Amino acid sequence: MLEISFAKPELPKSGVLVLPLAEGAAPAGHAAALDKALDGGLARALEAAEFKGKKGSQAALLAPKGYKRVLVLGTGKPGAARMAEALGGAIAAALTRESEAAVLAEDFTPDQAAQIGFGARLRAYRFDKYRTTQKEDEKLKLRHLTILTPEPRKAEAAYKQLAAVAQGVELTRDLVSEPANTLYPAEFAERIEELKKLGLKVEVFDEDELKKLGFGSMLAVAQGSARPARMAVLQWLGAPGHEDSKKTRKPKEPLVFVGKGVTFDTGGISLKPAAGMEDMKWDMAGAGAVVGLMAALAARKAKLDVVGLVGLVENMPSGSATRPGDVVKSYSGQTIEIINTDAEGRLVLADVLHYAQSRFAPKAMIDLATLTGAIIVGLGHEYAGLFSNDDDLAAKLAAAGAAVDEKLWRMPLAAPGESYDKELASAIADVKNVGGGRAGGSITAAQFLQRFVNGKPWAHLDIAGMAWASKDSAVAPKGATGFGVRLLDRFVHDNFEA
Ligand code: BES
Ligand code: MN
Ligand code: ZN
């Protein structure tokens, strides 16, 4: 993990120094002093490199005076959103081969100085536990960034909050990156139990207990697998004024987050084609985000009650697998005709959503799921789909997404019994698990979920296009993105902790 520290601006005499420079700005303060010490060498280098400060642009001076390297990074037009965070990401991307560096951030606010550290840490993430032959010169060496800022104490305090979120994002990325032979439902549940050390209350339900509860829909997905299902319930009881009863009390009108945790999705008897099936190891990214979010909220001691629930199953074809046409009874009592065993995420969520609502009476409930390929057809890899029965909740989520650049696009949701919802009529049961055809596949999936929700504020985020990236972005290397953690942390912070 990349260590971040803060200190007063002072020109280091050696090592690696990073100078951020905005469009149209000239080196000032300590950067101007550096130029002087280099007899105008900094200005000459910027001139030679035709450096204009454009976002993402760079100019490097190799071994000037006592330094190893001075790297000038363009931060673009002054005042752009998330500039400091993107700068941090650019620093981590540019300095993979250095073990440490100092960043001259004297014109930055303490919050921005903290955001530089946050962006750098997120971008410096690696999942390399299974690489045994990586060459020395391919490894990420960056271990420590010192950010030079006029108010290091304030920056440090701001960074502490962001580091809690970063730790949650990293946990989500670790879970999502893990292959399905090492991360199966029972192992996922064990990783969740480890979070007790953060002060989270954790309950794990095994297959017998789920059977007793009547989770016929979720267990229909799990029954083809040799790996038994689990459900985990995580509680963070941080509402102020109840500190002494924290161990025993029940959450009061909590926010509830629910995640789809299909540790591998073969499609079951409705088997998926071979090409790209390995991607289905990350079909638990919704659950991964819920767990990372709960870890973040606990680590920063968020001042509210929040509950996270994840349904953990593996969807396999076998002699014991659910067949197309099977009818099962869900926890809600509704019967479901399973037309397509590859529409399994909704079967998991049906039971967990209904359980969450009946047990916790949440003021709002939000689920995250890599639910449909159709959402990728519709929105690509720019926006996750947002479905909600509540305009206010939808607006708050969209605003939080815009603020952290985990964007949401609202999609239609019909009232029960109307338009899209009619597609789910079954000839034999209360509902079937897919619509009539492929048309509007993400919407009919959301309509199915809504059948298991009691009309209280609820939102569903279809993150199938966002959980995994095939290329690097500003603050995430390619691979598991951790999508949802920052978004929901922001949503919680902006709307429920004021
Ligand atoms: N896990 C998939 C959705 C998915 C696809 C996630 C691609 C990430 C990338 C989901 O369980 C699924 O298989 N959905 C089907 C639904 C269909 C059978 C109605 C789909 O999208 O094809
Ligand atoms: Mn599927
Ligand atoms: Zn799936």
Side-chain angles (χ1 to χ4, degrees), residues 103-451:
V103 182
L104 191 54
E106 57 185 334
D107 315 329
F108 290 67
T109 66
D111 278 338
Q112 287 176 320
Q115 286 155 17
I116 295 174
F118 182 58
R121 175 166 164 181
L122 289 177
R123 182 66 187 264
Y125 174 82
R126 293 290 182 280
F127 187 80
D128 47 17
K129 64 190 272 204
Y130 296 118
R131 308 192 63 142
T132 66
T133 58
Q134 203 174 28
K135 300 200 178 66
E136 248 344 282
D137 62 3
E138 293 165 357
K139 285 188 188 156
L140 173 78
K141 276 173 75 181
L142 193 60
R143 285 281 163 274
H144 196 117
L145 277 189
T146 307
I147 299 170
L148 306 173
T149 166
E151 296 183 272
R153 288 258 181 71
K154 274 196 187 161
E156 177 82 57
Y159 181 70
K160 216 176 145 205
Q161 298 292 306
L162 294 176
V165 179
Q167 163 264 142
V169 173
E170 287 158 357
L171 171 59
T172 302
R173 288 178 181 172
D174 283 346
L175 291 166
V176 171
S177 303
E178 197 69 54
N181 62 328
T182 50
L183 194 79
Y184 41 91
E187 171 64 20
F188 198 149
E190 276 188 28
R191 300 254 190 127
I192 294 171
E193 301 233 38
E194 287 170 21
L195 300 179
K196 285 177 181 163
K197 64 175 186 258
L198 294 175
L200 285 163
K201 198 167 145 189
V202 178
E203 293 160 84
V204 173
F205 295 76
D206 67 17
E207 203 148 85
D208 287 342
E209 292 165 308
L210 293 170
K211 217 170 267 169
K212 261 190 221 133
L213 277 173
F215 272 40
S217 180
M218 171 161 141
L219 290 175
V221 179
Q223 76 186 35
S225 171
R227 311 283 204 184
R230 296 285 187 272
M231 173 173 71
V233 180
L234 299 83
Q235 300 185 44
W236 171 251
L237 302 177
H242 308 275
E243 283 70 15
D244 32 322
S245 58
K246 194 168 174 344
K247 287 257 149 54
T248 51
R249 76 182 178 88
K250 293 197 171 121
K252 218 178 124 236
E253 290 200 320
L255 274 179
V256 165
F257 297 97
V258 173
K260 167 180 172 180
V262 176
T263 58
F264 197 81
D265 180 13
T266 64
I269 297 300
S270 312
L271 192 62
K272 286 181 180 298
M277 204 203 276
E278 67 280 7
D279 281 350
M280 289 300 106
K281 76 170 183 183
W282 48 261
D283 207 19
M284 36 54 70
V290 167
V291 170
L293 171 71
M294 295 302 291
L297 295 174
R300 70 171 183 75
K301 305 210 180 323
K303 289 189 174 41
L304 77 169
D305 291 352
V306 187
V307 182
L309 300 97
V310 293
L312 307 172
V313 299
E314 184 180 60
N315 188 21
M316 296 290 268
S318 78
S320 62
T322 290
R323 295 148 291 253
D326 284 2
V327 174
V328 299
K329 191 170 184 124
S330 68
Y331 177 71
S332 74
Q334 295 173 81
T335 55
I336 304 167
E337 182 187 13
I338 300 178
I339 299 292
N340 189 320
T341 64
D342 196 13
E344 85 298 339
R346 62 198 78 179
L347 295 173
V348 173
L349 292 175
D351 280 345
V352 182
L353 284 169
H354 195 83
Y355 175 85
Q357 247 177 4
S358 27
R359 175 168 167 195
F360 293 108
K363 66 173 146 226
M365 179 164 73
I366 295 148
D367 75 75
L368 296 96
T370 48
L371 203 64
T372 66
I375 201 70
I376 310 177
V377 176
L379 299 176
H381 304 285
E382 288 293 329
Y383 288 84
L386 160 63
F387 301 81
S388 184
N389 59 5
D390 187 283
D391 291 345
D392 180 54
L393 176 61
K396 286 174 170 154
L397 285 165
V404 303
D405 201 26
E406 291 189 342
K407 300 191 297 273
L408 302 175
W409 192 265
R410 186 147 182 209
M411 301 283 287
L413 186 74
E418 312 242 330
S419 69
Y420 296 108
D421 190 68
K422 291 189 188 144
E423 298 253 345
L424 300 173
S426 160
I428 175 173
D430 299 335
V431 62
K432 58 180 178 159
N433 78 328
V434 291
R438 276 156 30 102
S442 310
I443 308 171
T444 48
Q447 298 291 160
F448 180 87
L449 299 181
Q450 187 177 235
R451 296 265 188 134

